[in-house]
Amino acid sequence: MSNATLRVALLIVSTTAARDPSTDASQAALSSVLEEEGDGRWELVDTKIVPDVATQIQQQLMLWTDVAAETFNLILTTGGTGFAVADNTPEAVSALIHKPAPGLVHGMLAASLNVTPFAMMSRPVAGVRNRSIIITLPGSPKGARENLQAVLKTLPHACLQAAGMDSRSLHVGGTKKLEAEAGIKSSGGHSHSHDHHRHDHGNNHPPSHSHGHGHSHGHSHGHGHLVRHTAPSTNPLSNDPSLGPSRRNRESPYPMLSVNNALSKIKDHTPLPEVVTLKVDRSLPGHVLAEDVQARENVPAFRASIVDGYAVVVPRDGNLRGVFPVVSVSHASPGEVEPLKEGEITRITTGAPLPPGATSVIMVEDTILKTMTDDGKEEKEVEILADNVQKGENIREVGSDIKTGTIILSKGEQISAVGGEIGLLAAVGVAEVKAYRKPVIGVLSTGDEIVQHDRPGDLRLGEVRDTNRITLMTAAKECGYEVVDLGITADKPSTLEETLRDALRRVDFIITTGGVSMGELDLLKPTIERSLGGTIHFGRVAMKPGKPTTFATVPVKDNAGERVTKVIFSLPGNPASAIVTFHLFVLPSLHQMSGISPAGLTRVPVTLVHDFVLDKTRPEYHRAIVSVGKDGNLLAASTGGQRSSKVGSLRGANCLLCMPSGKGPLKKGSKVDALLMGGIRSEL
Ligand code: AMP
Ligand code: MG
């Protein structure tokens, strides 16, 4: 029940907009906040516009709270909250409220006051009527937006309570869990002072009020974006989980690497591929050869006819016109064939061995049947209509396709699944080859909140279906790797350590998701470093999505007591981040360990078919669709919303566009590189 979509209604209180709805900008502003920062929980179901008339405001609100068949969980009003004569929304709303919610009012005011003292000019009201929470927002789109952002993350919980959900089940796990579920953290007592860009509260505030800000990524609370307030410092190691949250690192100790530096760390620290002997069978494709392979046999192994016809011994003058007795038959089947003498012929089929002594084959089309055996079943004599016949016509000589000892495939070549290489090996009698072993991959999801993706029933508050494990297992399998399902593990140091130790015994390469951010329950880095004695080669990458991507190697003794190195990639928990970083970082490592070169996705230049917004500071790997345009150019279009939690952003994507960081949008027609994850489509 707690995961159901929350229904929102919006009442625009504006005499101007009531006359001309096109003048309203607050609906667009607020619906984008709900969509982009509401974690997919909100649905704006109804919007109405009324003039600044108290009775009209109340009438519409009561239609939603008292009359509607289905509960509206949240009702927002915009406009009429200032000191102007016409402003009377707070009064109209107050009169309807059964339970006031001064905390929400305080939250909105506190957030706005951080921006400007003119927040005092807004007179918001919030509270519950029947099963709905009503909140009044200022009329300016910016002000409305900022107020909603200030409280949005806490609202699902309040709305569910107001709608009558059992509060005991809602409160399991306490405030911490609620905060975690809402994607927010309490300040732990430290100051909430924020750095902001310019904010403009429109109607309620002077229009160009501006604020100083300490650094470039200023932000207000609850945006669903990462907000940093202090300058980075250095700190030597991962958290010691036993010290608890109060003594965890407050800044990642891992240097922020560029994507290229991260890739070269992967190159330097991924173990070398291991050489094994593999059978030439259907499991071979995808493997890379660790040796030059020679033909063990000639192809063809015997002199064979290329056509259906008659084997002959060509006389000196090449003239074969005449009638000849058919002395024998050679079919394409194993066995001895009688030698042939000049003046005789052998009926022969395509691919059949030539009789010893035969020097050419005449096509059946160049012959006429002259006489038959008495029963009429066999040819007795055949007339040949050919002269000027050369020796060797219509014959495949021994080894004419491939000679014994020829190198048919070279070290480093990959056996493809389209068939060419495997057919070659099969033809020349090679039954085994030396190749690089492909690592066996274990995939693990981490997080107390993560439940099996197909667990029946509704989710409880805070539960999240495991999206990453099945996604990554499928992707790894599609890339040709054997995958072991390591399940889901809780955010508990001992459990995580045990799971990873066990996994290190079973697989060569571990991919985990979740638990690599900066929370006190983000245990991957400390467990790898402190408990498993592993080395973290990088723990942060300047990119979007996927900043906390972690690459480590762990020395272990294998079952034979040999020291070997195993790889752990700990990817961020957000589904889009997990799959993007799989393709960008995990795949090159897997390729290197399997001898595939060049490692990683193929890079091609593409042309953007629309403008792309850039991230100001980090290069972004934008999920997109590449197609071939009419002129043969490769064209790229976005798959849509790119937030790292957006599972849908990879739907249909066949590439990652390598977008640079930058201020403005990258314009339609610009060229960027695309990393191909799948086949290119025909034009969309
Ligand atoms: P973390 O990296 O553990 O901080 O997780 C970041 C976000 O990803 C949180 O919202 C998690 O609930 C979510 N998440 C983590 N693991 C998974 C998973 N296996 N499937 C879906 N979402 C996940
Ligand atoms: Mg987690």
Side-chain angles (χ1 to χ4, degrees), residues 446-447 449 491 514-515 522:
T446 74
E449 78 280 29
D491 291 322
D522 288 327

Side-chain angles (χ1 to χ4, degrees), residues 346-417:
T346 298
R347 194 169 76 243
I348 192 164
T349 57
T350 303
L354 268 94
T359 54
S360 187
V361 178
I362 306 297
M363 291 167 77
V364 67
E365 290 87 341
D366 294 337
T367 66
I368 297 167
L369 177 60
K370 267 291 173 201
T371 58
M372 294 181 284
T373 50
D374 295 342
D375 58 8
K377 284 190 177 157
E378 256 304 342
E379 300 171 342
K380 214 165 147 188
E381 289 174 317
V382 165
E383 182 176 358
I384 291 179
L385 306 172
D387 49 21
N388 200 17
V389 177
Q390 307 291 314
K391 282 188 182 172
E393 276 179 18
N394 297 329
I395 295 174
R396 285 161 67 213
E397 294 295 343
V398 171
S400 59
D401 286 355
I402 303 165
K403 286 212 164 33
T404 309
T406 316
I407 293 184
I408 52 160
L409 292 171
S410 310
K411 180 174 171 172
E413 260 184 271
Q414 190 173 17
I415 309 296
S416 78

Side-chain angles (χ1 to χ4, degrees), residues 324-612:
F324 295 84
V326 181
V327 296
S328 58
V329 179
S330 177
H331 284 152
S333 66
E336 292 300 308
V337 194
E338 300 267 300
L340 193 65
K341 294 204 269 306
E342 196 171 320
E344 301 170 347
I345 62 176
T346 298
R347 194 169 76 243
I348 192 164
T349 57
T350 303
L354 268 94
T359 54
S360 187
V361 178
I362 306 297
M363 291 167 77
V364 67
E365 290 87 341
D366 294 337
T367 66
I368 297 167
L369 177 60
K370 267 291 173 201
T371 58
M372 294 181 284
T373 50
D374 295 342
D375 58 8
K377 284 190 177 157
E378 256 304 342
E379 300 171 342
K380 214 165 147 188
E381 289 174 317
V382 165
E383 182 176 358
I384 291 179
L385 306 172
D387 49 21
N388 200 17
V389 177
Q390 307 291 314
K391 282 188 182 172
E393 276 179 18
N394 297 329
I395 295 174
R396 285 161 67 213
E397 294 295 343
V398 171
S400 59
D401 286 355
I402 303 165
K403 286 212 164 33
T404 309
T406 316
I407 293 184
I408 52 160
L409 292 171
S410 310
K411 180 174 171 172
E413 260 184 271
Q414 190 173 17
I415 309 296
S416 78
V418 291
E421 298 80 17
I422 199 111
L424 200 49
L425 290 167
V428 299
V430 176
E432 282 182 350
V433 288
K434 288 207 165 57
Y436 299 116
R437 189 168 75 81
K438 286 201 263 181
V440 176
I441 305 169
V443 180
L444 175 71
S445 285
T446 74
D448 291 336
E449 78 280 29
I450 307 302
V451 300
Q452 185 71 24
H453 74 90
D454 55 358
R455 197 205 60 194
D458 289 339
L459 294 176
R460 288 187 303 144
L461 179 66
E463 286 183 335
V464 174
R465 292 201 189 270
D466 187 356
T467 317
N468 296 339
R469 193 162 41 106
I470 190 164
T471 309
L472 294 175
M473 289 199 298
T474 310
K477 183 160 170 272
E478 180 59 24
C479 296
Y481 294 93
E482 189 189 323
V483 182
V484 174
D485 184 351
L486 301 175
I488 303 168
T489 186
D491 291 322
K492 197 165 153 251
S494 56
T495 319
L496 182 62
E497 181 186 341
E498 207 174 298
T499 307
L500 288 175
R501 278 192 191 284
D502 181 55
L504 286 168
R505 269 179 234 120
R506 296 164 64 197
V507 301
D508 309 298
F509 197 109
I510 299 176
I511 307 172
T512 71
T513 61
V516 283
S517 313
M518 288 296 294
E520 71 272 17
L521 289 183
D522 288 327
L523 296 170
L524 263 298
K525 286 176 170 109
T527 306
I528 292 168
E529 272 190 333
R530 292 165 182 270
S531 310
L532 303 176
T535 305
I536 291 181
H537 302 292
F538 62 81
R540 264 197 315 167
V541 187
M543 64 179 290
K544 187 183 167 186
K547 190 168 96 170
T549 304
T550 299
F551 165 59
T553 50
V554 186
V556 289
K557 286 217 168 106
D558 68 6
N559 297 337
E562 297 269 325
R563 279 180 69 87
V564 293
T565 300
K566 303 215 169 177
V567 172
I568 303 182
F569 271 93
S570 290
L571 309 181
N574 275 317
S577 313
I579 190 72
V580 166
T581 53
F582 170 84
H583 284 286
L584 195 61
F585 296 121
V586 179
L587 208 53
S589 183
L590 287 171
H591 281 173
Q592 192 173 324
M593 252 180 119
S594 354
I596 298 172
S597 176
L601 299 176
T602 303
R603 189 179 274 265
V604 292
V606 296
T607 305
L608 305 181
V609 300
H610 55 76
D611 292 1
F612 278 69

Side-chain angles (χ1 to χ4, degrees), residues 114 190-196 219 227-229:
N114 259 324
H190 78 257
S191 153
H192 259 267
S193 72
H194 282 211
D195 302 310
H196 277 265
H219 242 297
V227 184
R228 263 297 309 271
H229 300 276

